[in-house]
Amino acid sequence: MTNLDKLINILKGFEYSENITKWVTIDSINADFAPFPDNVDKSLENALIESGITQLYSHQNRAFNLIKNGNNLIIATGTASGKTYCYNLPVINTILASPETTALYLFPTKALTSDQLKKIHELNSKLHFDNIKGRLDSLIAPAIYDGDTSVNERNQIRNRANIILTNPDMLHVGILPHHTIWERIFRNLKFVIIDEIHIYRGVFGSHLANVIRRLKRVSQFYGVKSQFIMTSATIANAKEFAEKLIEEPVVLLENDGSAYGNRNIILYNPPVINQDLGLRNGIIPESVKIAGDLLANHIQTIFFARSRKTVEITLRNLQSTYEKSAEAMHGYRSGYLAQERRQIENGLRDGSIRAVVSTNALELGIDMGSMDAIVMMGYPGSIAAFRQQSGRAGRMKTDSIALLIASSTPLDQFIIKHPEYLLERSPENALINPNNPLILLDHLKCALFELPFINSDHFGALAWDDLKPYLDYLVSTEEAYMRAERYLWMKDAYPANQISLRSASAQPILLLCKNNGNSKTIGEVDMESANWMVHPGAIYLHEGISYLVNNLNPVDHVAELSLTDVDYYTESKKDVDIQKISELTTEKKANYQKSLGDIQVTSKVTGFQKIRWFSREILGIESLDMPKTELRTIAYWLTLSPILIKDLREKNLWRNDQNNYGSDWSRIRQLIRERDHYRCQICGIEESGSEHHVHHKIPFREFTDFELANQIDNLITLCPICHQRAEQTVRIRSGLSGLGYVFSHLAPMILMCDEKDLGVFTDPQAKWSEMQPSVVIYDQFPGGIGLSESLYKHDQDLIRNAAELVKQCGCLDGCPSCVGPAGENGIGGKEPTLVILELLKK
Amino acid sequence: MESLFEKLKALGVNLGQENLHIKTSSKFPIDNVIKGEWLHHQFGDLYEVNNLYDYKYQHGKFGIRREVIFTKLFDISRIESKPLSLKDILFIDTETTGLSGGTGTMAFLVGLGYFTENGFTTEQYFLDDPSDEMGLMIKLNSVLSKFEVLVTYNGSSFDLPLLRTRFLINRVESPLHNKKHLDLLHLSRKLWKLRLPTLKLRDVETEILSFIREEDEVPGWMVPQIYFDFIRNRDARPLKGVFYHNCMDVLSLAVIFIHIAELLADPVTNENIDRLDLLSIARLFENNGILDESANLYKISIERGIPDDLPHKILFRYGQICKRLSQPEMALEFWELAYQNGDFSSAIQISKYYEHNQKKYDEAMRWALNGQELIDKDPSTSQSKELAHQELQKRIKRLELRLINN
């Protein structure tokens, strides 16, 4: 019995089985083979056979032929399906036939790039020549060209290499702006390979699409049109996405011919520990619990967490719970420096590291050897990410486990109730917006630096008439010069240096730790996150160690930290204000108005809470005076129509208040009515016949102590009608909050984006919508990245899924899994939220 | 409907001005400011400014020569000097829109210079409008084809790659690949790094040629902005300084060439030779395998007296070369000097010499102990010192044995 079998038995045992809501075993699949295609060079065929490959997978064979016929290709077969051969074979084959051919390979990470170089070298070493003409293996000359490449090597590569392995950043800042010294490469550039394109969505993808536009412009200058070969994990719109990235027709190849072992996919819902509040046991304690069984049975595991903070907290918990194995457990996330990350990757490969807690950085296809188990701490946010993460288990066709532990968030609970959503539905669409004005402007600067623009030029699919305003803009900033509609770069500057492909701001904040006069860089944080992650007084976690932030200096791009051993961590509090700039389009529906427009979001971090470890007690609250950040972006908003509101009032669907206001309530009521002279404080009407009501201004349910709730300042005499109206307003406010809550959790599912790519805000008297009750959802990137636009089209999807989630939730009056915990944003808003959702559906 | 300007401004991009007017003419066009000639060409207009510096002209301490013997210079620079003559050589310096490098930088003023029977002629080609660049490249192609050797200062890393890029971008045939290139920066370094802290063209011009520029001069870093201002406001007056700067660069380049050629052709009788220059040339010859002449220069250096503050490592090297040339007496002189300056390796060399060459073991021992003393006194730590220390220990032991046996 293998270790994995033992673990499976444990999972099926009493300790876990009652919380396992779904267990699917996908049977192993045998490979679908095909012979070598006809035009493969004999020496290449022999090299493959020498490597142990006597035949190809069906998809590798098809790829070869499609490429031979001159197509652009997107290969979207599964993880570890041998996608690399799909492009290496045609490229190497072509070089063998025409040695002057060159190819450019783009990878998103250093680790991937060096893995791929090894693969080419391995194949290269087995290429022998049959007759005596010369050494064949020197015909294939691959080389990595990136930030680490030395000056001498760079010259050699430009002179002699024919397969250039690099990354989008290097292409953007190191190669394209110097294309004249790369002349040989560009003149013979038959192939451009872009690996893992699914990660190039959102901001990064929009930048990359523009880098590709520049690349094609430069290639065209040298008289060449290259073939694009791309690979991707499974996403719904692989073909469409690829076509948007390179702006040319692409053929989709998705039928996977490779083999798989038995794959166990297990959905686990932690038990409820507080019925009324609807609280379940947290994913961190649950992960720590199962880690015990995994470690005991020697099963190498990756834990995928949703946030950097969770990685750190989990790691800390694991190391303190399993002290003996503390050394064999590591965190992995992008804030670590490159060297640390590589050490961890090696430890996974040689088995010395038994458990890694990671954000999604490891989603990328690095050859790690077989990982027996994957634990997903919470739904990773998209079906594609789920497939990628679960695909990391059992890479070498052994049996494997992918375990999803659901968190209390609405989305996770939705998935538990609808496993078919996860297992059967096709993954989401990937979105990019290459024509976002900020991004486009940046790349036009670079493009202009590379080659002049003249009348009737195009930029990718962007025509001259759309280009010209940007070029004229550059003339006005004295970066460009124009005469007779010919634009030249005219500034003593190198624009690509100022532009980062991954964010709005170029330079990250470096985190410096001062210790005994020595300063060490422990990591970095992007500008946008800095205000809420490393504000003065924040506790920053790195590899399980706590650092206190003493100072944040955005001008010098530095945060000063020092080691600390305090017993708490911090969470910051933000104030947000939203203003409408313009409405782009709007549509009136039966019960609501939907709009898409331009808004300005102003945020300010106003303070933070100190939260004790493990017990989660709030130790203190401090206020901060941080600078505000302004974001101008595209947003979708939904405004409740007056008809809907009238409906709400008339339906009167909520139950009557049956709160226990305390034993003193009658006396208090009498006091208040007396104080108010038995008059309604809103309309002035006197009591006649029946007693007026006494209304809590701040709702009773918001208080933990009924004495505070019943203080006379909080009470007011109202006639029954005004009372009902007041209650209705409260209901609307709470219904709206609940709506915002459930939308913020479900919208990312529809848009295949991260939760942090969207901002959500509600206001019963919204400034952006003529003081009507409204929910706004916006792209967290200046100028918008296409998310709100997509939501505008598919908002009924969101509404319907939200309605179903809330309806099916088992809680009493609101919980973290549907509309938000009772008592947090106002009042338990489950009922009003549900009513609103049902009305929105029509 | 918002204009792009307004939109970009709202997104946080704040630099542009809408409706910016670019001037197309002014009271001070280039032909009113500097005397020259328009060259009108189908692909772009150029403005040409020429100057002649005849044989009476003095550039600091030096003048223009009719004859220059540059064979030694070319040999050392690995350029085949037969059958070239002075008229086959072209001197080049460019003024550009920036120093960033890459395809976005262009040369708007190219200064060329060459020798004729009347003296030294400079030809400066100027782009009154950047979009005329193709005309400039075509003209350059035609001029450059008449010469065999191109001489620059730092041109191998700046001017020539830049010109290569400009030819390519304008799709004009480039004559550069079959021309020989001489970058005088490399030789300047080898000749004068002992004497001068920095070796930019201006440094050599001021310190070696003793030439002082006139007030017209503008510093190099201001040049790009002067050009940008000109193309936007069309006032050519500030360009005078740029033309002067460029012309002086070309001229100094030629004079430095003459001076270096003469130094290398005859270092011994050259009246302008500094003691340190003589040593530098000795080293240069040594590195290029011209050993006999090198040794001779070392010998003369000693006769003329070596400056006291010369780093002892250099003296040690000179000793080594003499050893290679089997001129031990001279080697000894250098080594002893080096030892007096604190160099322990020299003491070891002297010890070796006495032991193996002269079989004078007591002398050998004396010098070995001298070396040991120096090592002990030296506070620094290095691998070479450690190795020398170990080697000395062995040597001393061996010498002790020899002395006992005798």
Side-chain angles (χ1 to χ4, degrees), chain B residues 215-230:
Chain B
E215 294 153 10
D216 289 349
E217 166 71 6
V218 304
W221 58 266
M222 283 179 68
V223 167
Q225 193 55 47
I226 292 176
Y227 187 63
F228 297 148
D229 291 340
F230 165 69

mmCIF file with all atom_site columns, all heavy atoms in Angstrom, chain B residues 215-230:
data_model
loop_
_atom_site.group_PDB
_atom_site.id
_atom_site.type_symbol
_atom_site.label_atom_id
_atom_site.label_alt_id
_atom_site.label_comp_id
_atom_site.label_asym_id
_atom_site.label_entity_id
_atom_site.label_seq_id
_atom_site.pdbx_PDB_ins_code
_atom_site.Cartn_x
_atom_site.Cartn_y
_atom_site.Cartn_z
_atom_site.occupancy
_atom_site.B_iso_or_equiv
_atom_site.pdbx_formal_charge
_atom_site.auth_seq_id
_atom_site.auth_comp_id
_atom_site.auth_asym_id
_atom_site.auth_atom_id
_atom_site.pdbx_PDB_model_num
ATOM 1   N N   . GLU B 1 215 ? 35.536 81.273 -25.488 1.00 0.00 ? 215 GLU B N   1
ATOM 2   C CA  . GLU B 1 215 ? 34.260 81.397 -24.778 1.00 0.00 ? 215 GLU B CA  1
ATOM 3   C C   . GLU B 1 215 ? 33.086 80.785 -25.522 1.00 0.00 ? 215 GLU B C   1
ATOM 4   O O   . GLU B 1 215 ? 32.065 80.508 -24.924 1.00 0.00 ? 215 GLU B O   1
ATOM 5   C CB  . GLU B 1 215 ? 33.901 82.866 -24.545 1.00 0.00 ? 215 GLU B CB  1
ATOM 6   C CG  . GLU B 1 215 ? 34.839 83.552 -23.617 1.00 0.00 ? 215 GLU B CG  1
ATOM 7   C CD  . GLU B 1 215 ? 34.857 85.038 -23.942 1.00 0.00 ? 215 GLU B CD  1
ATOM 8   O OE1 . GLU B 1 215 ? 34.006 85.493 -24.739 1.00 0.00 ? 215 GLU B OE1 1
ATOM 9   O OE2 . GLU B 1 215 ? 35.713 85.733 -23.401 1.00 0.00 ? 215 GLU B OE2 1
ATOM 10  N N   . ASP B 1 216 ? 33.231 80.633 -26.825 1.00 0.00 ? 216 ASP B N   1
ATOM 11  C CA  . ASP B 1 216 ? 32.119 80.086 -27.596 1.00 0.00 ? 216 ASP B CA  1
ATOM 12  C C   . ASP B 1 216 ? 31.718 78.689 -27.151 1.00 0.00 ? 216 ASP B C   1
ATOM 13  O O   . ASP B 1 216 ? 30.626 78.227 -27.438 1.00 0.00 ? 216 ASP B O   1
ATOM 14  C CB  . ASP B 1 216 ? 32.505 79.986 -29.086 1.00 0.00 ? 216 ASP B CB  1
ATOM 15  C CG  . ASP B 1 216 ? 32.599 81.352 -29.727 1.00 0.00 ? 216 ASP B CG  1
ATOM 16  O OD1 . ASP B 1 216 ? 32.172 82.332 -29.086 1.00 0.00 ? 216 ASP B OD1 1
ATOM 17  O OD2 . ASP B 1 216 ? 33.089 81.426 -30.866 1.00 0.00 ? 216 ASP B OD2 1
ATOM 18  N N   . GLU B 1 217 ? 32.657 78.031 -26.474 1.00 0.00 ? 217 GLU B N   1
ATOM 19  C CA  . GLU B 1 217 ? 32.475 76.629 -26.150 1.00 0.00 ? 217 GLU B CA  1
ATOM 20  C C   . GLU B 1 217 ? 31.245 76.385 -25.277 1.00 0.00 ? 217 GLU B C   1
ATOM 21  O O   . GLU B 1 217 ? 30.954 77.153 -24.361 1.00 0.00 ? 217 GLU B O   1
ATOM 22  C CB  . GLU B 1 217 ? 33.734 76.149 -25.410 1.00 0.00 ? 217 GLU B CB  1
ATOM 23  C CG  . GLU B 1 217 ? 33.626 74.827 -24.693 1.00 0.00 ? 217 GLU B CG  1
ATOM 24  C CD  . GLU B 1 217 ? 33.561 73.626 -25.632 1.00 0.00 ? 217 GLU B CD  1
ATOM 25  O OE1 . GLU B 1 217 ? 33.707 73.811 -26.856 1.00 0.00 ? 217 GLU B OE1 1
ATOM 26  O OE2 . GLU B 1 217 ? 33.349 72.508 -25.145 1.00 0.00 ? 217 GLU B OE2 1
ATOM 27  N N   . VAL B 1 218 ? 30.497 75.323 -25.582 1.00 0.00 ? 218 VAL B N   1
ATOM 28  C CA  . VAL B 1 218 ? 29.430 74.855 -24.668 1.00 0.00 ? 218 VAL B CA  1
ATOM 29  C C   . VAL B 1 218 ? 29.790 73.450 -24.215 1.00 0.00 ? 218 VAL B C   1
ATOM 30  O O   . VAL B 1 218 ? 30.357 72.680 -24.988 1.00 0.00 ? 218 VAL B O   1
ATOM 31  C CB  . VAL B 1 218 ? 28.031 74.844 -25.338 1.00 0.00 ? 218 VAL B CB  1
ATOM 32  C CG1 . VAL B 1 218 ? 27.685 76.201 -25.884 1.00 0.00 ? 218 VAL B CG1 1
ATOM 33  C CG2 . VAL B 1 218 ? 27.927 73.786 -26.386 1.00 0.00 ? 218 VAL B CG2 1
ATOM 34  N N   . PRO B 1 219 ? 29.506 73.108 -22.983 1.00 0.00 ? 219 PRO B N   1
ATOM 35  C CA  . PRO B 1 219 ? 29.844 71.758 -22.521 1.00 0.00 ? 219 PRO B CA  1
ATOM 36  C C   . PRO B 1 219 ? 28.945 70.705 -23.169 1.00 0.00 ? 219 PRO B C   1
ATOM 37  O O   . PRO B 1 219 ? 27.799 70.986 -23.523 1.00 0.00 ? 219 PRO B O   1
ATOM 38  C CB  . PRO B 1 219 ? 29.590 71.823 -21.012 1.00 0.00 ? 219 PRO B CB  1
ATOM 39  C CG  . PRO B 1 219 ? 28.688 72.966 -20.807 1.00 0.00 ? 219 PRO B CG  1
ATOM 40  C CD  . PRO B 1 219 ? 28.866 73.914 -21.932 1.00 0.00 ? 219 PRO B CD  1
ATOM 41  N N   . GLY B 1 220 ? 29.483 69.513 -23.321 1.00 0.00 ? 220 GLY B N   1
ATOM 42  C CA  . GLY B 1 220 ? 28.791 68.441 -24.036 1.00 0.00 ? 220 GLY B CA  1
ATOM 43  C C   . GLY B 1 220 ? 27.411 68.128 -23.504 1.00 0.00 ? 220 GLY B C   1
ATOM 44  O O   . GLY B 1 220 ? 26.481 67.859 -24.266 1.00 0.00 ? 220 GLY B O   1
ATOM 45  N N   . TRP B 1 221 ? 27.250 68.203 -22.172 1.00 0.00 ? 221 TRP B N   1
ATOM 46  C CA  . TRP B 1 221 ? 25.962 67.778 -21.623 1.00 0.00 ? 221 TRP B CA  1
ATOM 47  C C   . TRP B 1 221 ? 24.829 68.733 -21.995 1.00 0.00 ? 221 TRP B C   1
ATOM 48  O O   . TRP B 1 221 ? 23.660 68.374 -21.940 1.00 0.00 ? 221 TRP B O   1
ATOM 49  C CB  . TRP B 1 221 ? 26.052 67.610 -20.104 1.00 0.00 ? 221 TRP B CB  1
ATOM 50  C CG  . TRP B 1 221 ? 26.483 68.845 -19.358 1.00 0.00 ? 221 TRP B CG  1
ATOM 51  C CD1 . TRP B 1 221 ? 27.753 69.181 -18.987 1.00 0.00 ? 221 TRP B CD1 1
ATOM 52  C CD2 . TRP B 1 221 ? 25.650 69.911 -18.909 1.00 0.00 ? 221 TRP B CD2 1
ATOM 53  N NE1 . TRP B 1 221 ? 27.765 70.378 -18.332 1.00 0.00 ? 221 TRP B NE1 1
ATOM 54  C CE2 . TRP B 1 221 ? 26.490 70.854 -18.262 1.00 0.00 ? 221 TRP B CE2 1
ATOM 55  C CE3 . TRP B 1 221 ? 24.280 70.167 -18.978 1.00 0.00 ? 221 TRP B CE3 1
ATOM 56  C CZ2 . TRP B 1 221 ? 26.001 72.031 -17.701 1.00 0.00 ? 221 TRP B CZ2 1
ATOM 57  C CZ3 . TRP B 1 221 ? 23.791 71.342 -18.408 1.00 0.00 ? 221 TRP B CZ3 1
ATOM 58  C CH2 . TRP B 1 221 ? 24.661 72.261 -17.775 1.00 0.00 ? 221 TRP B CH2 1
ATOM 59  N N   . MET B 1 222 ? 25.179 69.961 -22.407 1.00 0.00 ? 222 MET B N   1
ATOM 60  C CA  . MET B 1 222 ? 24.116 70.915 -22.749 1.00 0.00 ? 222 MET B CA  1
ATOM 61  C C   . MET B 1 222 ? 23.642 70.754 -24.188 1.00 0.00 ? 222 MET B C   1
ATOM 62  O O   . MET B 1 222 ? 22.611 71.291 -24.564 1.00 0.00 ? 222 MET B O   1
ATOM 63  C CB  . MET B 1 222 ? 24.634 72.344 -22.591 1.00 0.00 ? 222 MET B CB  1
ATOM 64  C CG  . MET B 1 222 ? 24.717 72.816 -21.164 1.00 0.00 ? 222 MET B CG  1
ATOM 65  S SD  . MET B 1 222 ? 25.358 74.500 -21.057 1.00 0.00 ? 222 MET B SD  1
ATOM 66  C CE  . MET B 1 222 ? 24.040 75.436 -21.796 1.00 0.00 ? 222 MET B CE  1
ATOM 67  N N   . VAL B 1 223 ? 24.440 70.051 -24.968 1.00 0.00 ? 223 VAL B N   1
ATOM 68  C CA  . VAL B 1 223 ? 24.174 70.021 -26.410 1.00 0.00 ? 223 VAL B CA  1
ATOM 69  C C   . VAL B 1 223 ? 22.782 69.521 -26.802 1.00 0.00 ? 223 VAL B C   1
ATOM 70  O O   . VAL B 1 223 ? 22.100 70.183 -27.588 1.00 0.00 ? 223 VAL B O   1
ATOM 71  C CB  . VAL B 1 223 ? 25.286 69.217 -27.123 1.00 0.00 ? 223 VAL B CB  1
ATOM 72  C CG1 . VAL B 1 223 ? 24.894 68.885 -28.544 1.00 0.00 ? 223 VAL B CG1 1
ATOM 73  C CG2 . VAL B 1 223 ? 26.590 69.993 -27.102 1.00 0.00 ? 223 VAL B CG2 1
ATOM 74  N N   . PRO B 1 224 ? 22.327 68.359 -26.287 1.00 0.00 ? 224 PRO B N   1
ATOM 75  C CA  . PRO B 1 224 ? 21.006 67.890 -26.737 1.00 0.00 ? 224 PRO B CA  1
ATOM 76  C C   . PRO B 1 224 ? 19.902 68.923 -26.496 1.00 0.00 ? 224 PRO B C   1
ATOM 77  O O   . PRO B 1 224 ? 19.083 69.187 -27.378 1.00 0.00 ? 224 PRO B O   1
ATOM 78  C CB  . PRO B 1 224 ? 20.773 66.628 -25.915 1.00 0.00 ? 224 PRO B CB  1
ATOM 79  C CG  . PRO B 1 224 ? 22.141 66.129 -25.577 1.00 0.00 ? 224 PRO B CG  1
ATOM 80  C CD  . PRO B 1 224 ? 22.967 67.370 -25.386 1.00 0.00 ? 224 PRO B CD  1
ATOM 81  N N   . GLN B 1 225 ? 19.889 69.530 -25.327 1.00 0.00 ? 225 GLN B N   1
ATOM 82  C CA  . GLN B 1 225 ? 18.820 70.474 -25.027 1.00 0.00 ? 225 GLN B CA  1
ATOM 83  C C   . GLN B 1 225 ? 18.878 71.697 -25.939 1.00 0.00 ? 225 GLN B C   1
ATOM 84  O O   . GLN B 1 225 ? 17.834 72.230 -26.329 1.00 0.00 ? 225 GLN B O   1
ATOM 85  C CB  . GLN B 1 225 ? 18.890 70.913 -23.547 1.00 0.00 ? 225 GLN B CB  1
ATOM 86  C CG  . GLN B 1 225 ? 17.638 71.640 -23.064 1.00 0.00 ? 225 GLN B CG  1
ATOM 87  C CD  . GLN B 1 225 ? 16.367 70.843 -23.297 1.00 0.00 ? 225 GLN B CD  1
ATOM 88  O OE1 . GLN B 1 225 ? 16.310 69.656 -23.000 1.00 0.00 ? 225 GLN B OE1 1
ATOM 89  N NE2 . GLN B 1 225 ? 15.357 71.486 -23.847 1.00 0.00 ? 225 GLN B NE2 1
ATOM 90  N N   . ILE B 1 226 ? 20.091 72.125 -26.283 1.00 0.00 ? 226 ILE B N   1
ATOM 91  C CA  . ILE B 1 226 ? 20.201 73.276 -27.195 1.00 0.00 ? 226 ILE B CA  1
ATOM 92  C C   . ILE B 1 226 ? 19.548 72.936 -28.525 1.00 0.00 ? 226 ILE B C   1
ATOM 93  O O   . ILE B 1 226 ? 18.818 73.750 -29.118 1.00 0.00 ? 226 ILE B O   1
ATOM 94  C CB  . ILE B 1 226 ? 21.688 73.659 -27.408 1.00 0.00 ? 226 ILE B CB  1
ATOM 95  C CG1 . ILE B 1 226 ? 22.276 74.222 -26.116 1.00 0.00 ? 226 ILE B CG1 1
ATOM 96  C CG2 . ILE B 1 226 ? 21.823 74.686 -28.536 1.00 0.00 ? 226 ILE B CG2 1
ATOM 97  C CD1 . ILE B 1 226 ? 23.740 74.546 -26.186 1.00 0.00 ? 226 ILE B CD1 1
ATOM 98  N N   . TYR B 1 227 ? 19.771 71.731 -28.990 1.00 0.00 ? 227 TYR B N   1
ATOM 99  C CA  . TYR B 1 227 ? 19.158 71.326 -30.260 1.00 0.00 ? 227 TYR B CA  1
ATOM 100 C C   . TYR B 1 227 ? 17.640 71.231 -30.137 1.00 0.00 ? 227 TYR B C   1
ATOM 101 O O   . TYR B 1 227 ? 16.904 71.683 -31.022 1.00 0.00 ? 227 TYR B O   1
ATOM 102 C CB  . TYR B 1 227 ? 19.738 69.991 -30.727 1.00 0.00 ? 227 TYR B CB  1
ATOM 103 C CG  . TYR B 1 227 ? 19.272 69.579 -32.107 1.00 0.00 ? 227 TYR B CG  1
ATOM 104 C CD1 . TYR B 1 227 ? 19.590 70.346 -33.227 1.00 0.00 ? 227 TYR B CD1 1
ATOM 105 C CD2 . TYR B 1 227 ? 18.498 68.440 -32.297 1.00 0.00 ? 227 TYR B CD2 1
ATOM 106 C CE1 . TYR B 1 227 ? 19.158 69.983 -34.503 1.00 0.00 ? 227 TYR B CE1 1
ATOM 107 C CE2 . TYR B 1 227 ? 18.070 68.066 -33.564 1.00 0.00 ? 227 TYR B CE2 1
ATOM 108 C CZ  . TYR B 1 227 ? 18.403 68.842 -34.666 1.00 0.00 ? 227 TYR B CZ  1
ATOM 109 O OH  . TYR B 1 227 ? 17.973 68.472 -35.922 1.00 0.00 ? 227 TYR B OH  1
ATOM 110 N N   . PHE B 1 228 ? 17.157 70.640 -29.018 1.00 0.00 ? 228 PHE B N   1
ATOM 111 C CA  . PHE B 1 228 ? 15.701 70.529 -28.842 1.00 0.00 ? 228 PHE B CA  1
ATOM 112 C C   . PHE B 1 228 ? 15.063 71.915 -28.828 1.00 0.00 ? 228 PHE B C   1
ATOM 113 O O   . PHE B 1 228 ? 14.031 72.144 -29.453 1.00 0.00 ? 228 PHE B O   1
ATOM 114 C CB  . PHE B 1 228 ? 15.357 69.808 -27.533 1.00 0.00 ? 228 PHE B CB  1
ATOM 115 C CG  . PHE B 1 228 ? 15.839 68.383 -27.470 1.00 0.00 ? 228 PHE B CG  1
ATOM 116 C CD1 . PHE B 1 228 ? 16.219 67.826 -26.260 1.00 0.00 ? 228 PHE B CD1 1
ATOM 117 C CD2 . PHE B 1 228 ? 15.903 67.586 -28.614 1.00 0.00 ? 228 PHE B CD2 1
ATOM 118 C CE1 . PHE B 1 228 ? 16.659 66.510 -26.191 1.00 0.00 ? 228 PHE B CE1 1
ATOM 119 C CE2 . PHE B 1 228 ? 16.353 66.275 -28.545 1.00 0.00 ? 228 PHE B CE2 1
ATOM 120 C CZ  . PHE B 1 228 ? 16.735 65.732 -27.327 1.00 0.00 ? 228 PHE B CZ  1
ATOM 121 N N   . ASP B 1 229 ? 15.695 72.836 -28.119 1.00 0.00 ? 229 ASP B N   1
ATOM 122 C CA  . ASP B 1 229 ? 15.150 74.190 -28.083 1.00 0.00 ? 229 ASP B CA  1
ATOM 123 C C   . ASP B 1 229 ? 15.137 74.791 -29.483 1.00 0.00 ? 229 ASP B C   1
ATOM 124 O O   . ASP B 1 229 ? 14.165 75.428 -29.885 1.00 0.00 ? 229 ASP B O   1
ATOM 125 C CB  . ASP B 1 229 ? 15.991 75.079 -27.154 1.00 0.00 ? 229 ASP B CB  1
ATOM 126 C CG  . ASP B 1 229 ? 15.847 74.692 -25.690 1.00 0.00 ? 229 ASP B CG  1
ATOM 127 O OD1 . ASP B 1 229 ? 14.845 74.013 -25.359 1.00 0.00 ? 229 ASP B OD1 1
ATOM 128 O OD2 . ASP B 1 229 ? 16.728 75.051 -24.895 1.00 0.00 ? 229 ASP B OD2 1
ATOM 129 N N   . PHE B 1 230 ? 16.216 74.565 -30.233 1.00 0.00 ? 230 PHE B N   1
ATOM 130 C CA  . PHE B 1 230 ? 16.305 75.131 -31.566 1.00 0.00 ? 230 PHE B CA  1
ATOM 131 C C   . PHE B 1 230 ? 15.176 74.635 -32.470 1.00 0.00 ? 230 PHE B C   1
ATOM 132 O O   . PHE B 1 230 ? 14.532 75.412 -33.169 1.00 0.00 ? 230 PHE B O   1
ATOM 133 C CB  . PHE B 1 230 ? 17.664 74.788 -32.193 1.00 0.00 ? 230 PHE B CB  1
ATOM 134 C CG  . PHE B 1 230 ? 17.702 75.009 -33.670 1.00 0.00 ? 230 PHE B CG  1
ATOM 135 C CD1 . PHE B 1 230 ? 17.660 76.300 -34.194 1.00 0.00 ? 230 PHE B CD1 1
ATOM 136 C CD2 . PHE B 1 230 ? 17.740 73.941 -34.560 1.00 0.00 ? 230 PHE B CD2 1
ATOM 137 C CE1 . PHE B 1 230 ? 17.668 76.515 -35.561 1.00 0.00 ? 230 PHE B CE1 1
ATOM 138 C CE2 . PHE B 1 230 ? 17.765 74.149 -35.931 1.00 0.00 ? 230 PHE B CE2 1
ATOM 139 C CZ  . PHE B 1 230 ? 17.717 75.444 -36.435 1.00 0.00 ? 230 PHE B CZ  1
#
